[in-house]
Amino acid sequence: MNLGTKRFVVGWFYKGELMTCGLTSPDRSSRSSGVNRLKFAPPAPKGRQATAVSSVRNRLSKYVRLTAGELDFIDRSEVDPEPIAKGDKLSQHGEAGDIVVLQSGWAVLKSYNKSSGHQILRVFLPGEFVGLCEIGAPQMEHQISMQTSGVVSRLSRRAFYQGVSGLPRLNALLLALLSLDLQALRRHNSCMRSMNAESNLKFFFLQLRSRLKVPGVGSGDRFHVPFSQVEIGQAVGLTSVYVNKLLRGFKEQGELEIDRPYFWLLAREQWKTEVDFHDAYENVDTSWFPQVEHPEDLPPRNKSLHAKAALV
């Protein structure tokens, strides 16, 4: 049933995330934010290790055991954390964007047109990096803003290239994750065109839970959903009235429990079967990754480095 449904096609977009380093051009101002860029960071001292608040490390460590060099690369990207408020813009249409490390908080990429209004094309989560998909374009095509308050750090495109080019295994991992993002987005696009509204919304929640399944960020069937019904509708192409109707139906059927801002999927396996959901992030093919020396065990890193980066 298409009543109340606003159909649109999500464009080709995959995560401009997960690509950073801590070497940045000195004494330059960010063209996208008006704040100072990160200054040149000297090599991080050996022996620094992740704490539970480093969502970047937690997200990448889900797939490989990171080497000392890879950990140092991540540490550099998180230097000079910047608290940022809900609604603040990370980049705007027509501007040249930086790579933004989303240490905590959620961000969204939005587009707007007169016929369908605002559309949420992409959701960024803690531990992901924003801006990579636009790295080949001189200007940003869409607006990216904070959905919640959080902590970010910024670096130039050149800094990203300089850092990741020296870490072939990490480079391969980031490329693999980007390909999975594209695969997931294709599937989401297909759902919006081929599924009914109920299945479309179920798929959205299943995919969101899948991406949140990272130590220190989220796990289980109860997870944070910092979106209003209007915003959920913008993400799946439905009106807020229709989203409300579907959510009430899920709750009445005992399939969903809502305690804002948390959603609890009570029938996840049933939903996965109904919409033929396959978790794109469950298994990453690492067989082609370059071989690295077995990483040494490092002592815990300075906890004060990420004291401001508490997860949302």
Side-chain angles (χ1 to χ4, degrees), residues 57 84-85 90 113 163 206 219 246 254 311:
R57 286 186 177 217
I84 191 166
L90 300 180
N113 61 62
L206 288 170
S219 61
L246 292 173
L311 295 176

Side-chain angles (χ1 to χ4, degrees), residues 19-286:
M19 291 284 195
T20 64
C21 69
L23 299 178
T24 61
S25 303
D27 302 324
R28 294 182 61 190
S29 294
S30 170
R31 291 170 291 179
S32 63
S33 66
V35 302
N36 291 332
R37 288 175 182 260
L38 298 177
K39 295 181 179 179
F40 184 91
K46 293 183 178 181
R48 299 199 314 180
Q49 176 62 312
T51 66
V53 297
S54 180
S55 53
V56 179
R57 286 186 177 217
N58 286 339
R59 185 169 292 279
L60 295 181
S61 296
K62 176 181 177 180
Y63 304 104
V64 297
R65 187 180 182 189
L66 298 169
T67 66
E70 292 164 343
L71 293 171
D72 183 71
F73 173 89
I74 297 170
D75 291 347
R76 292 170 182 243
S77 74
E78 297 181 309
V79 171
D80 294 340
E82 170 195 343
I84 191 166
K86 176 180 179 179
D88 284 357
K89 295 179 176 59
L90 300 180
S91 63
Q92 296 194 68
H93 175 75
E95 294 183 344
D98 296 329
I99 304 298
V100 179
V101 186
L102 194 58
Q103 297 187 31
S104 70
W106 294 40
V108 292
L109 182 149
K110 287 187 176 183
S111 68
Y112 176 81
N113 61 62
K114 293 181 179 179
S115 61
S116 57
H118 287 286
Q119 301 169 7
I120 295 178
L121 305 183
R122 174 67 180 167
V123 178
F124 298 95
L125 302 174
E128 297 180 345
F129 289 51
V130 182
L132 185 59
C133 75
E134 288 85 8
I135 201 168
Q139 297 180 335
M140 301 292 290
E141 293 295 325
H142 302 285
Q143 172 184 301
I144 302 177
S145 58
M146 293 298 294
Q147 181 67 20
T148 70
S149 61
V151 175
V152 303
S153 51
R154 305 173 188 267
L155 60 155
S156 69
R157 295 173 176 182
R158 185 182 298 275
F160 150 70
Y161 172 75
Q162 290 174 340
V164 77
S165 62
L167 297 165
R169 202 274 297 267
L170 183 59
N171 197 358
L173 173 60
L174 301 178
L175 180 61
L177 294 177
L178 289 174
S179 73
L180 294 181
D181 290 331
L182 179 57
Q183 177 181 320
L185 191 62
R186 285 174 174 170
R187 177 62 170 155
H188 177 66
N189 188 11
S190 175
C191 290
M192 294 182 66
R193 290 183 287 121
S194 61
M195 287 184 178
N196 61 31
E198 180 178 316
S199 296
N200 189 5
L201 188 55
K202 289 178 178 179
F203 189 92
F204 172 75
F205 288 132
L206 288 170
Q207 191 172 82
L208 188 60
R209 175 198 173 273
S210 170
R211 294 181 57 215
L212 280 167
K213 196 168 54 176
V214 174
V217 176
S219 61
D221 292 326
R222 184 177 182 269
F223 53 93
H224 190 202
V225 183
F227 296 107
S228 67
Q229 292 182 4
V230 171
E231 291 167 332
I232 292 174
Q234 292 173 352
V236 297
L238 302 172
T239 65
S240 59
V241 174
Y242 208 32
V243 170
N244 179 272
K245 176 183 176 181
L246 292 173
L247 293 179
R248 281 192 287 107
F250 295 158
K251 290 190 292 184
E252 290 170 358
Q253 295 166 20
E255 299 177 359
L256 178 69
E257 184 175 306
I258 300 176
D259 182 15
R260 291 286 187 177
Y262 294 96
F263 282 51
W264 189 357
L265 303 186
L266 302 176
R268 177 169 56 88
E269 293 301 324
Q270 174 186 325
W271 283 15
K272 289 172 65 175
T273 300
E274 289 176 0
V275 303
D276 192 27
F277 179 81
H278 299 281
D279 189 345
Y281 302 93
E282 187 66 30
N283 297 304
V284 175
D285 179 14
T286 62

